[in-house]
Amino acid sequence: MGQDTLFITTAIDYTNSAPHIGHAYEKLLADVITRYQRSAGKKAYFLTGVDQHGQKVQQSAELEGIPAQEFADRNTAKFVEMWKLLGLEYNGWAATTHPQHKAVVQVILQKLFDQDQIYKATHTGYYSVRQEQFLTDKERNEEGEFGSEWGEVEERKEENYYFKLSEHVPWLKAFVADHPDFVYPAFRGKELVNALDKADAIDLCITRPKSRLEWGIEIPFDTGFVTFVWFDALINYISFAGYLKDQVQVATEGLPDFAELWPANAHIIGKDIMIPAHAVYWPIMLHAMGFADEEMPKLLVHGFWNDKGGAKLSKSLGNVIDPAERIERFGADGLRYYLMSAMATGKDADFNDSRIEEAYAHDLAGNLGNLLNRSLNMSKRYRASLLKKDADYDDDLNRELRDSFNKLPAAVAAHMENYQVHFALEEIWKSLTLCNQFVEHSAPWKLAKDEAEANRLDTVLYHLAEAMAQAAFHIAPVMPETSRRILEQLNFEFPADLKATDIKWGILPDGHTLGEGTPLFPRLEPLP
Ligand code: MSP
């Protein structure tokens, strides 16, 4: 495999509703990881998109009395719009009604059918008419009955096609045991091992008769059925990565080269869709298609955002969080900073509006924005914005600041390679806090009054500007726009090929002239 590009994907979002904060976090995590890896000199490809088929979309469209495609397209546009507001830069857009994707799904189904991996069988069971699904014992309540939420429950017989999932479960168990890095974080991997130990291996029903669901990809070997939405959706990770591009040439324009991308370095998903979809169905599907063990993707499983009281976000509770409202108040970078700093990758977090206000005022407007402003203003006032790099002065305060920034690239890299963005930000903000203390302790306003301290003043002003430039570089994956604006105010551009891990003190040249300072994070108006 000639993979030379990191391949980062996210779950594709259901288009039966509008994007919420959970969707936004996940896409952002992918965006930040991709941007960081590029800044570290790697090639990276970021794929995201929308899951447009399935019962929920069909039902919502029916309720509105419009065609499912129209409904899916309209909601897809909301996602596209939101990702633009959030400043996401993805390379590939996986929308599952795309003709190439549909054709690839059908080729895969046909291949598995020809290889005897798919068979037809009749299932008799309890069916909820209201929820339009078969029920299992898991759906029974404490009294052993199907509760009223299921509406009328009747016994039904239905023919469908099944994928021989159970046949491959022993392979999956061995694979997972041999590849502890299949799932990140490790505690989620342990959950998978436990689930595989406990669960009975059963085959996967991969069709729905058209009488019950029409909005899906038709099975190539039986026109009376459409593909179960998960089987369709999981395949996006390869169909939009150029899999079978040479054989299936329905709409290949813009598709990447599969050999360059696969296997995915991180399928970024929420904990709710790890078992069974991503950690059981998906590797087994790939295995059955003939992918080798070394060609299996890796999963990066994140936690859930809850409301500020820890309750699950849900439409029925009315506590869903609209990213657009927060972007309006805090800017895209304000929201990006909060989402990335307030959640430890893998764990749950509570979304709290007073915390985001606090982070904006303290970390962003204060520690970063105010520091930049003071630095630029003092240089302007005392030195007409002209930096002197090699003034003949040094002391412990300067050394401490330089050390702190010189240690940052390795510290940030270590955390970012582990997807621990919040720790990387913490490191950067430690250096910024130190920088704020440095201003107080060095007191340039006093030095400016004393001609004998001229060299020291030059050194301090240079240290501040250099620290700001380096901070701008390090925050760029999380806050690209803020980084750009800081560099604009510093009147400086980093060489395009400078790698994150190669940053060393002394990048701003002697004689550099700084630009004008304007507030990065304006004061927030109190909420009505
Ligand atoms: N369409 C499927 C995924 C198919 S991937 C082949 C799906 N869609 S979803 O819209 O329900 O969820 C999309 C992603 O958002 C999932 O990874 C899910 O875990 C994540 N989140 C949904 N709610 C979330 C939170 N409250 N917090 C964090 N992430 C959450 O599942």
Side-chain angles (χ1 to χ4, degrees):
M1 225 169 323
Q3 190 214 20
D4 68 349
T5 304
L6 292 166
F7 185 32
I8 313 292
T9 73
T10 70
I12 49 174
D13 301 316
Y14 280 131
T15 47
N16 64 315
S17 63
H20 57 59
I21 208 74
H23 298 136
Y25 166 78
E26 178 176 292
K27 316 306 134 173
L28 178 59
L29 182 58
D31 187 63
V32 169
I33 291 170
T34 309
R35 286 174 189 263
Y36 174 76
Q37 290 294 347
R38 288 198 187 123
S39 79
K42 309 245 183 58
K43 282 204 266 174
Y45 190 96
F46 165 20
L47 175 71
T48 189
V50 279
D51 187 355
Q52 298 172 305
H53 288 126
Q55 191 144 343
K56 290 182 194 163
V57 174
Q58 178 171 315
Q59 279 169 348
S60 309
E62 273 166 7
L63 269 178
E64 282 199 35
I66 57 171
Q69 184 72 58
E70 188 182 325
F71 180 87
D73 287 346
R74 201 185 61 200
N75 271 2
T76 296
K78 293 185 194 161
F79 282 88
V80 173
E81 183 58 27
M82 187 69 83
W83 300 159
K84 208 166 133 194
L85 278 182
L86 192 59
L88 302 185
E89 279 179 9
Y90 41 84
N91 304 95
W93 181 249
T96 52
T97 55
H98 190 283
Q100 176 74 12
H101 170 75
K102 290 198 220 173
V104 170
V105 169
Q106 289 180 328
V107 168
I108 291 170
L109 282 164
Q110 188 66 52
K111 187 174 165 199
L112 292 174
F113 186 68
D114 294 343
Q115 291 173 351
D116 217 16
Q117 286 291 315
I118 291 174
Y119 62 91
K120 198 175 190 182
T122 305
H123 172 73
T124 309
Y126 293 102
Y127 185 82
S128 154
V129 180
R130 180 196 287 172
Q131 299 296 340
E132 301 191 30
Q133 72 178 75
F134 277 95
L135 304 177
T136 64
D137 284 343
K138 267 194 289 180
E139 275 82 43
R140 289 181 193 275
N141 60 23
E142 281 159 13
E143 284 83 49
E145 286 159 8
F146 297 116
S148 56
E149 70 274 22
W150 300 108
E152 182 194 345
V153 175
E154 58 184 37
E155 233 186 324
R156 257 207 205 180
K157 235 185 189 179
E158 194 172 277
E159 272 201 311
N160 268 306
Y161 288 90
Y162 289 78
F163 168 51
K164 288 185 179 167
L165 193 81
S166 57
E167 193 178 292
H168 304 288
V169 169
W171 165 79
L172 182 62
K173 282 186 180 172
F175 173 78
V176 170
D178 289 348
H179 298 83
D181 60 348
F182 172 50
V183 180
Y184 181 91
F187 76 93
R188 295 276 175 218
K190 294 207 178 92
E191 282 175 22
L192 173 61
V193 172
N194 289 340
L196 287 173
D197 277 347
K198 273 192 222 127
D200 296 327
I202 50 168
D203 287 341
L204 176 66
C205 180
I206 54 159
T207 58
R208 298 291 180 265
K210 278 194 186 161
S211 54
R212 150 151 108 86
L213 176 71
E214 271 183 54
W215 185 234
I217 301 175
E218 200 174 82
I219 300 288
F221 40 84
D222 192 336
T223 55
F225 294 84
V226 298
T227 316
F228 168 47
V229 66
W230 271 107
F231 199 91
D232 155 3
L234 287 162
I235 288 174
N236 95 83
Y237 298 131
I238 53 177
S239 65
F240 288 96
Y243 182 58
L244 301 182
K245 187 164 78 167
D246 298 336
Q247 283 152 264
V248 187
Q249 299 185 333
V250 175
T252 56
E253 204 190 324
L255 287 184
D257 179 7
F258 190 61
E260 228 175 82
L261 297 189
W262 198 257
N265 299 76
H267 283 323
I268 305 181
I269 56 166
K271 62 180 184 178
D272 59 326
I273 58 172
M274 176 177 106
I275 300 172
H278 281 84
V280 182
Y281 301 165
W282 183 226
I284 289 185
M285 282 164 68
L286 289 167
H287 178 70
M289 280 179 231
F291 284 73
D293 286 10
E294 315 79 68
E295 295 171 320
M296 290 296 148
K298 290 190 172 64
L299 307 182
L300 166 50
V301 186
H302 61 78
F304 257 50
W305 283 96
N306 297 317
D307 76 6
K308 67 173 189 220
K312 200 175 151 75
L313 300 173
S314 83
K315 258 200 240 163
S316 50
L317 285 176
N319 60 356
V320 276
I321 291 159
D322 177 8
E325 282 173 20
R326 275 46 178 205
I327 293 173
E328 165 111 25
R329 183 156 173 79
F330 306 104
D333 281 3
L335 179 62
R336 289 172 69 109
Y337 176 78
Y338 175 72
L339 288 176
M340 288 296 107
S341 60
M343 180 177 257
T345 312
K347 306 213 175 106
D348 292 350
D350 299 339
F351 193 99
N352 187 324
D353 276 304
S354 21
R355 288 278 154 68
I356 181 171
E357 297 263 344
E358 221 173 273
Y360 181 95
H362 185 263
D363 300 1
L364 301 184
N367 273 344
L368 178 59
N370 195 29
L371 177 65
L372 174 71
N373 224 259
R374 291 176 87 187
S375 307
L376 289 171
N377 289 344
M378 289 190 291
S379 271
K380 186 176 172 186
R381 190 169 323 137
Y382 308 136
R383 288 295 184 261
S385 302
L386 195 73
L387 291 184
K388 215 166 177 187
K389 186 174 178 182
D390 304 310
D392 189 16
Y393 180 86
D394 206 6
D395 64 17
D396 282 349
L397 285 175
N398 293 323
R399 272 188 288 275
E400 191 188 13
L401 188 73
R402 289 201 301 271
D403 281 355
S404 166
F405 276 88
N406 276 335
K407 282 184 192 143
L408 258 188
V412 168
H415 294 309
M416 292 302 290
E417 294 298 339
N418 274 325
Y419 307 126
Q420 298 294 336
V421 185
H422 64 294
F423 281 145
L425 286 173
E426 218 174 275
E427 292 292 340
I428 300 168
W429 255 261
K430 262 193 234 160
S431 292
L432 287 174
T433 303
L434 187 74
C435 205
N436 276 293
Q437 291 163 357
F438 173 80
V439 179
E440 295 309 317
H441 293 154
S442 329
W445 48 92
K446 285 189 194 150
L447 304 178
K449 288 186 189 141
D450 184 353
E451 202 31 54
E453 298 279 26
N455 282 344
R456 184 171 178 198
L457 177 61
D458 276 318
T459 306
V460 168
L461 294 174
Y462 181 87
H463 274 64
L464 285 173
E466 173 75 10
M468 291 286 70
Q470 295 202 10
F473 190 104
H474 291 304
I475 64 169
V478 175
M479 298 198 286
E481 179 58 15
T482 303
S483 168
R484 195 192 59 71
R485 290 181 58 209
I486 295 176
L487 291 172
E488 196 177 81
Q489 296 187 29
L490 293 172
N491 186 30
F492 184 69
E493 259 177 58
F494 282 100
D497 58 352
L498 181 68
K499 291 186 191 157
T501 42
D502 289 345
I503 293 197
K504 282 196 192 70
W505 193 262
I507 295 169
L508 291 178
D510 185 42
H512 178 77
T513 306
L514 299 167
E516 282 291 313
T518 44
L520 287 177
F521 299 97
R523 192 178 285 279
L524 296 173
E525 294 301 324
L527 285 171

